[in-house]
Amino acid sequence: MSDLQTLLLEGPIDFVGQQLADSITFYLVSIAGTVAFLVGIIAGDISLTAYTCALFFTAGFVIVVCPWPFYKRHPLKWLPPTTQN
């Protein structure tokens, strides 16, 4: 498999990465709504508002959904397996 395919298919991220993705989503949606609203008010065009919002959400999708390496900086250290008699 190519490196890009491996990056996109290998999904698990750590808990710190999940918190980071949640924070990025919150701030990106807040900024997207504000910027899209201002662009729509200034331009006076509702379709431009929708396109701006769609652009931000597409960028957010690529940033948050893909399991980028910066989401995997703090892997869990599992306990070693024990044998049960």
Side-chain angles (χ1 to χ4, degrees), residues 2 7 16 18 20 22 26 28 31 38 43-44 52-53 55-56 59:
S2 71
L7 176 70
V16 176
Q18 289 176 0
L20 177 63
D22 184 50
F26 175 77
L28 194 65
I31 292 169
L38 292 175
T52 304
C53 203
L55 178 70
F56 271 96

Side-chain angles (χ1 to χ4, degrees), residues 7-52:
L7 176 70
L8 293 176
L9 294 177
E10 191 178 310
I13 62 175
D14 55 45
F15 292 117
V16 176
Q18 289 176 0
Q19 179 64 38
L20 177 63
D22 184 50
S23 296
I24 290 171
T25 302
F26 175 77
Y27 290 117
L28 194 65
V29 168
S30 301
I31 292 169
T34 305
V35 170
F37 177 75
L38 292 175
V39 166
I41 290 294
I42 292 170
D45 188 7
I46 191 74
S47 64
L48 195 55
T49 302
Y51 291 142
T52 304

Side-chain angles (χ1 to χ4, degrees), residues 7-8 10-11 13 21 25 57 59-68 71:
L7 176 70
L8 293 176
E10 191 178 310
I13 62 175
T25 302
F57 286 134
F61 181 83
V62 170
I63 292 170
V64 173
V65 172
C66 296
W68 300 107
Y71 290 133

